[in-house]
Amino acid sequence: ICNYFKLFNDVTYRWISLDNWTYSRTFKTPFDVRKWQKVNLVFEGVDTVAQILINNITLGRTDNMFNRYVSTVFCSEGASVFSSKPFCAEHFQCIQIHIKIGPRVQKEQCSFSWDWGPSFPTQGIWKDVRIEAYNDYHLIYFSLTSFFEKSAQQWSLEIESIFDVVSSKPIAGLVTVNIPKLQTRQTFSVKLQPGEGSIVLLVNINKSSTVEAWWPNGHGKQTGYNMTTTFIMEAGYQIEKSSKAYFRTVELVQEPIPGSPGLSFYFRINGRPIFIKGSNWIPADSFQDRVTYDTLWLLLKSAADANMNALRVWGGGVYEQDEFYDICDEIGIMIWQDFMFACALYPTDQYYLESIRAEVSHQVRRLKSHPSIILWSGNNENEAAIASNWFSIPYADREVYIKDYVMLYVKNIREIVLTEDKSRPFIASSPTNGLESVKEGWVSQNPYDTHYGDTHFYDYSSDCWNWTVYPKTRFASEYGFQSWPSFSTIEKISSTEDWSYTSNFSLHRQHHENGNDQMLQQIGYHFKLPQSTDPIKKLKDTIYLTQVMQAQCIKTETEFYRFSQSEIIKGEGHTMGALYWQLNDIWQAPSWASLEYGGKWKLLHYFAQNFFAPLLPVAYEDKGVLYIYGVSDLHADHKLTLRVVVHSWSSLEPVCTLAKEGVTVKAQSAVPIYKESIDDLLERCRNCTRKSCVITFCLVGEGGLQSPTNHHFLSSLKDAVGLEKSHISASVSQQDDIYIFVLHTTAIAPFVSLDVGSIKGRFSDNGFLMTEQKKVVVFYPWEPTCVEELEKSLTLTSLVDVV
């Protein structure tokens, strides 16, 4: 499997998905099945169209990758539910699973390829399979959701337990819920009905205890409380369930905004409006069995380390494994959870709808205990697909498709979500106009309307430094630009003859039409394209420039969304979310990701650490005037000093410095804090022109409070005057578990990149504008390394090294 991503193997191994496969296992039951009232064979996930047999007897069929399948192989009458032949304990039983490609099925869509991933339509058992045996009753699902009653100022927990009751009569008993740290202990008398019975308990938290709420990353702690739920039923045995109780409320606020048509679209967590900062998550590998806890931890921790507080789990992949949501709970990453429908039209026949209803019930019951999940979303881009007629539906048939859309996402998925989970909001699609879409019959005329809901926006031909091309939307849930992964990432899965930007390999890995050319076009707006006659040097330079371009483009767009959060201009604004496309990669290829396959940070991810910082000054130009906004996610107002420094490209000594003291940056808002015409600034800082100078600026407060240093270019860097070839040196030393890189430069160096090849880890900063002679950067290793290894692997690149 480790070779699957090499060279052209996505084509070479295509035959695998075109064949049928049988998985079989011979085993002996470790217990006497006749002593149990019910014995089930449980599949947590089968991918996807399969026939399941035991001893050549068909138990059932599967056609939904996201469903849980349970077959009763033995019940108290001594016969299989699916056959008249009893299974005895001394029998050797052979499970056979025949997997084949079928008709329209519910499967991970991107396994058939996407514009960032290969076609590896996997088949087989992708989650746990087990045999379980029980008498009387068995706990299938256990979930808890928190609520806060404002009038009583009290937290409560709704605990839902769903059982399979084998007994033909109701079973009575006691349930005790204990949360020691909150001095809360309650006992309930309950009765389980035969069949699938559920118990819903409402536990009021002791008002004399102080409840610490769960907060997103950057806004507070992610406190959870150990809780034990004990079921003692009259049948004689007890079940003890240990879990973590979290307390968090979420509201999706859609209400009128003064001075603007339309409605707001933002999230309130524990009563506090939160600006959503983050990205979109795709499957971390084409082969889900390779996605370990460590894989997930590395990617999610990298998101949190870049000051993100949210990710959108995109609807063309998979519902992630339990550990994914556990980690998000632990580190404060909010999840916008799509259901697995994307960019397609789906059937609404009864058989398919029953399968989807089972899928949605299962996934909501499995996941709703996680405080990290703040939203259920019905699909990815399917409202827009119908509204914009992506599939060339004749006008006469349009109503039929809208009716099918409403049937699937509203009358089935939404209905189940609202029944199963009353603790968080639901939207039918993304992008959507939210309540306006509902008003228009769930498919709005223009789902990209900036006055409502969320938007997806991509523009590869316009100059990305021009902020006026971006939509002043309520919520930007998708936007992005491509880049290539590092040479060290590509090198592992390619050959020497592939190391050219125009090689067959490079063209084959690019799944987005004209993607490689679009990157060069975008680079060309502001940078000189590589001209080296050495093909490998030229490729490395091009890779570097794609990453610089992507980082600078998404920085510009994200900063635009952040500074738009507190203002309405021509009826647009109050932007309260920025989720760029995309966080991670599924394989080694050019894509929109900021984390490469394997977890290495691209320059974009280092930039994200800054443009998502809790305190940030942001600059833009409008009609020859420079504006700087103070953007803050902090919970209190701060009086700060704004430092604006102008450098000429030819000197490490500043041309002029301005310190504006007593600048008030308001809590959780974006306010203008500085305004000056470029002409006045250049006159004040003599010997400066647009082409010869650059502006840097930061905010500094008391008690060590400081923003990252931001920059504003006054011209394209390809036109910069005075940029000199800098010599940058680095010394490396070890300090406990980290490594210190001390850099020295002889001249100003734009976009300084430190790369240690395949050594796993990340730097504290990268891709930066070096305007001082010395800079200290920390390397955090993810695996054991040493000074010698790092020195040997280190490559330092800045813009002037590209020739």
Side-chain angles (χ1 to χ4, degrees):
I1 204 168
C2 57
N3 292 323
Y4 277 10
F5 288 162
K6 283 191 173 174
L7 300 169
F8 299 85
N9 281 350
D10 53 321
V11 176
T12 307
Y13 290 127
R14 192 170 283 171
W15 64 271
I16 294 172
S17 66
L18 301 176
D19 216 333
N20 295 339
W21 296 89
T22 299
Y23 294 75
S24 63
R25 176 162 186 176
T26 300
F27 67 98
K28 188 172 183 178
T29 49
F31 51 83
D32 186 345
V33 294
R34 289 168 296 194
K35 290 183 177 175
W36 299 91
Q37 288 175 295
K38 200 166 190 180
V39 180
N40 289 337
L41 179 61
V42 181
F43 289 90
E44 293 293 344
V46 178
D47 178 13
T48 290
V49 178
Q51 181 185 10
I52 300 169
L53 305 93
I54 287 192
N55 292 353
N56 289 321
I57 296 165
T58 300
L59 284 187
R61 298 174 192 275
T62 72
D63 57 10
N64 188 326
M65 182 177 176
F66 309 123
N67 262 349
R68 179 176 182 270
Y69 288 94
V70 180
S71 296
T72 303
V73 295
F74 184 90
C75 54
S76 52
E77 288 74 24
S80 162
V81 167
F82 293 101
S83 76
S84 57
K85 190 184 288 185
F87 294 131
C88 301
E90 60 271 15
H91 279 195
F92 281 86
Q93 298 162 359
C94 180
I95 297 183
Q96 286 186 306
I97 302 176
H98 300 316
I99 307 279
K100 58 183 180 180
I101 293 294
R104 179 77 218 197
V105 294
Q106 186 66 349
K107 173 171 168 54
E108 178 188 11
Q109 277 180 237
C110 66
S111 70
F112 295 101
S113 183
W114 215 266
D115 52 4
W116 35 254
S119 178
F120 282 113
T122 48
Q123 302 172 65
I125 303 166
W126 77 291
K127 289 200 168 191
D128 287 349
V129 57
R130 66 181 181 276
I131 283 182
E132 56 186 24
Y134 50 92
N135 294 328
D136 301 315
Y137 66 99
H138 176 64
L139 182 62
I140 310 169
Y141 296 102
F142 178 86
S143 63
L144 49 148
T145 45
S146 60
F147 296 89
F148 184 70
E149 181 54 56
K150 278 185 188 169
S151 57
Q153 288 291 295
Q154 183 168 40
W155 284 99
S156 60
L157 282 175
E158 185 180 280
I159 300 169
E160 185 175 20
S161 311
I162 297 174
F163 291 86
D164 178 22
V165 181
V166 185
S167 166
S168 56
K169 295 174 185 174
I171 301 175
L174 297 174
V175 180
T176 301
V177 178
N178 188 22
I179 312 173
K181 267 203 167 172
L182 294 178
Q183 297 162 351
T184 298
R185 182 185 176 92
Q186 279 178 249
T187 300
F188 303 84
S189 295
V190 298
K191 190 173 276 187
L192 293 173
Q193 299 301 324
E196 187 173 284
S198 80
I199 300 171
V200 179
L201 307 173
L202 193 67
V203 176
N204 290 319
I205 303 303
N206 189 331
K207 283 179 91 170
S208 65
S209 295
T210 302
V211 175
E212 282 189 15
W214 182 95
W215 287 97
N217 182 35
H219 289 277
K221 294 180 186 173
Q222 292 76 48
T223 305
Y225 295 89
N226 291 330
M227 179 178 112
T228 307
T229 308
T230 309
F231 301 85
I232 303 174
M233 312 305 285
E234 63 185 12
Y237 69 98
Q238 71 177 48
I239 296 174
E240 188 168 285
K241 188 81 183 168
S242 295
S243 52
K244 266 265 201 284
Y246 294 96
F247 297 88
R248 187 275 290 121
T249 63
V250 56
E251 304 156 85
L252 175 56
V253 183
Q254 300 180 73
E255 58 191 19
I257 300 171
S260 173
L263 301 169
S264 64
F265 191 92
Y266 69 91
F267 290 91
R268 247 192 326 237
I269 306 296
N270 304 324
R272 183 181 286 276
I274 301 287
F275 188 98
I276 303 293
K277 304 183 297 188
S279 189
N280 285 260
W281 174 274
I282 64 164
D285 202 296
S286 293
F287 304 97
Q288 279 293 316
D289 56 303
R290 294 205 294 208
V291 183
T292 63
Y293 178 90
D294 289 345
T295 307
L296 295 171
W297 173 261
L298 187 64
L299 294 170
L300 293 169
K301 185 68 170 65
S302 290
D305 287 345
N307 289 308
M308 295 185 189
N309 60 28
L311 292 171
R312 172 173 171 251
V313 176
W314 169 74
V318 298
Y319 303 96
E320 282 299 330
Q321 52 190 276
D322 294 341
E323 287 83 357
F324 173 92
Y325 302 96
D326 289 340
I327 295 168
C328 291
D329 293 345
E330 187 184 330
I331 64 178
I333 299 293
M334 295 178 283
I335 296 297
W336 169 317
Q337 179 66 53
D338 279 5
F339 287 96
M340 293 302 121
F341 305 87
C343 306
L345 300 169
Y346 295 82
T348 54
D349 59 90
Q350 206 49 44
Y351 180 81
Y352 183 76
L353 286 178
E354 280 174 19
S355 175
I356 297 308
R357 288 177 73 86
E359 169 192 328
V360 173
S361 290
H362 168 57
Q363 296 298 343
V364 174
R365 288 172 178 182
R366 178 175 80 91
L367 298 175
K368 68 179 178 180
S369 298
H370 292 282
S372 52
I373 299 176
I374 60 165
L375 178 73
W376 301 112
S377 176
N379 66 70
N380 174 74
E381 298 184 342
N382 292 345
E383 180 185 341
I386 294 175
S388 307
N389 203 13
W390 294 0
F391 304 113
S392 305
I393 299 164
Y395 187 78
D397 297 335
R398 183 177 152 83
E399 286 306 314
V400 174
Y401 286 88
I402 291 175
K403 190 180 171 190
D404 281 355
Y405 178 92
V406 172
M407 174 60 71
L408 178 58
Y409 301 111
V410 181
K411 293 186 177 173
N412 281 275
I413 295 174
R414 178 176 178 269
E415 182 186 284
I416 290 168
V417 172
L418 296 184
T419 301
E420 293 284 351
D421 181 13
K422 296 175 178 62
S423 72
R424 49 177 67 81
F426 172 90
I427 58 172
S429 187
S430 175
T432 183
N433 287 348
L435 291 177
E436 177 61 20
S437 289
V438 177
K439 195 171 157 188
E440 293 180 41
W442 296 96
V443 176
S444 61
Q445 200 175 339
N446 174 23
Y448 297 94
D449 191 330
T450 53
H451 302 94
Y452 300 95
D454 66 319
T455 55
H456 296 185
F457 180 81
Y458 297 95
D459 180 352
Y460 307 113
S461 56
S462 300
D463 176 359
C464 78
W465 289 20
N466 176 11
W467 60 270
T468 64
V469 303
Y470 302 124
K472 211 167 180 75
T473 176
R474 304 292 193 226
F475 196 109
S477 52
E478 270 194 37
Y479 60 96
F481 294 86
Q482 280 198 321
S483 72
W484 271 79
S486 309
F487 182 74
S488 61
T489 297
I490 291 296
E491 189 179 18
K492 297 184 187 91
I493 42 90
S494 56
S495 302
T496 315
E497 62 267 25
D498 303 318
W499 296 343
S500 151
Y501 196 71
T502 54
S503 68
N504 287 337
F505 172 82
S506 294
L507 295 171
H508 179 70
R509 286 273 152 163
Q510 175 57 270
H511 285 196
H512 171 58
E513 191 177 8
N514 299 324
N516 287 352
D517 290 339
Q518 286 170 350
M519 281 185 268
L520 293 181
Q521 180 190 354
Q522 195 62 245
I523 290 166
Y525 287 138
H526 298 289
F527 306 102
K528 291 170 184 169
L529 291 169
Q531 302 297 327
S532 176
T533 51
D534 176 349
I536 296 178
K537 160 80 171 145
K538 189 175 181 182
L539 175 63
K540 288 179 176 179
D541 284 349
T542 306
I543 287 172
Y544 164 78
L545 281 176
T546 66
Q547 291 206 15
V548 167
M549 172 274 294
Q550 179 197 36
Q552 187 67 23
C553 287
I554 294 183
K555 170 189 186 291
T556 305
E557 187 166 357
T558 305
E559 289 181 349
F560 170 73
Y561 295 137
R562 287 195 75 187
F563 80 65
S564 298
Q565 68 182 275
S566 303
E567 65 187 16
I568 294 291
I569 294 177
K570 294 179 184 171
E572 295 181 318
H574 275 217
T575 307
M576 283 297 285
L579 299 172
Y580 67 74
W581 186 271
Q582 66 206 61
L583 180 75
N584 56 313
D585 261 334
I586 200 167
W587 73 331
Q588 307 92 333
S591 80
W592 293 257
S594 61
L595 296 175
E596 300 177 9
Y597 181 81
K600 186 173 183 176
W601 288 28
K602 286 184 181 177
L603 293 187
L604 167 58
H605 209 79
Y606 289 103
F607 272 48
Q609 191 174 220
N610 289 335
F611 64 61
F612 280 145
L615 178 67
L616 183 71
V618 172
Y620 71 96
E621 268 186 62
D622 192 18
K623 299 186 179 110
V625 177
L626 176 72
Y627 296 88
I628 299 179
Y629 275 55
V631 180
S632 174
D633 289 326
L634 304 174
H635 292 191
D637 296 355
H638 285 277
K639 268 212 160 55
L640 306 166
T641 298
L642 172 68
R643 287 187 187 153
V644 181
V645 181
V646 178
H647 276 276
S648 78
W649 287 119
S650 58
S651 173
L652 287 164
E653 289 300 317
V655 176
C656 65
T657 302
L658 178 139
K660 184 181 177 186
E661 295 179 355
V663 171
T664 299
V665 176
K666 294 198 156 131
Q668 294 189 268
S669 63
V671 292
I673 55 174
Y674 184 79
K675 176 184 175 184
E676 185 176 17
S677 78
I678 299 295
D679 287 345
D680 289 351
L681 184 142
L682 293 175
E683 196 175 320
R684 182 165 60 78
C685 302
R686 293 182 184 172
N687 305 321
C688 255
T689 67
R690 275 188 173 271
K691 291 181 180 179
S692 69
C693 287
V694 61
I695 304 170
T696 65
F697 45 96
C698 69
L699 287 163
V700 182
E702 292 176 354
L705 181 63
Q706 185 166 347
S707 76
T709 298
N710 209 340
H711 59 257
H712 178 73
F713 298 124
L714 295 167
S715 73
S716 295
L717 271 75
K718 67 181 179 183
D719 301 323
V721 172
L723 258 182
E724 298 168 5
K725 177 81 175 165
S726 55
H727 175 71
I728 305 175
S729 61
S731 62
V732 187
S733 60
Q734 186 171 356
Q735 188 179 307
D736 300 325
D737 295 333
I738 61 172
Y739 294 86
I740 310 298
F741 286 65
V742 179
L743 306 185
H744 287 89
T745 182
T746 56
I748 284 192
F751 303 111
V752 176
S753 164
L754 295 87
D755 191 323
V756 287
S758 294
I759 297 174
K760 291 188 185 316
R762 72 165 181 92
F763 291 96
S764 56
D765 194 7
N766 215 341
F768 44 82
L769 174 64
M770 196 165 175
T771 57
E772 293 178 348
Q773 190 182 354
K774 177 184 169 186
K775 183 173 173 78
V776 178
V777 178
V778 178
F779 181 73
Y780 302 97
W782 297 334
E783 62 183 11
T785 186
C786 62
V787 168
E788 292 72 31
E789 255 188 350
L790 289 165
E791 285 176 336
K792 189 179 164 190
S793 303
L794 178 64
T795 305
L796 283 166
T797 309
S798 80
L799 191 64
V800 291
D801 296 317
V802 175
V803 291

